[in-house]
Amino acid sequence: MPVNDKYSFHALWKFEDGLVIRHADLDEEIDPSYELLRLAAASFELELQEPFYNIYLDVYGTGIIDIYAPIMKVV
């Protein structure tokens, strides 16, 4: 895969603390899922690092996206 500013491949990816939400319906807008992550972080007094990571998973012939939001700090 050529190097560019939008996509990259990581053979191994280690997760630190973060929040995750599964966006299962690819026909729906993804912004409400981002907002749910922000609301959950606010309720637990967490500050998230943006942009979030969108992890595409091919499941049973269709796709879903796991959205990972790294936690920067507890407010």
Side-chain angles (χ1 to χ4, degrees):
M1 175 184 290
V3 176
N4 66 48
D5 64 344
K6 284 193 168 191
Y7 304 100
S8 62
F9 172 78
H10 300 277
L12 177 66
W13 198 12
K14 180 180 176 187
F15 290 92
E16 300 295 334
D17 285 340
L19 299 179
V20 176
I21 189 170
R22 178 156 287 168
H23 185 81
D25 189 345
L26 299 182
D27 291 330
E28 292 183 1
E29 291 291 322
I30 201 164
D31 289 333
S33 295
Y34 293 153
E35 190 57 32
L36 282 174
L37 284 168
R38 291 183 190 106
L39 289 170
S43 70
F44 289 104
E45 299 181 346
L46 303 171
E47 184 178 327
L48 300 178
Q49 176 184 333
E50 293 194 41
F52 303 147
Y53 294 94
N54 295 331
I55 304 162
Y56 178 82
L57 304 167
D58 186 23
V59 180
Y60 303 115
T62 188
I64 58 175
I65 296 174
D66 282 348
I67 304 167
Y68 170 71
I71 296 172
M72 288 187 55
K73 65 179 179 178
V74 177
V75 182

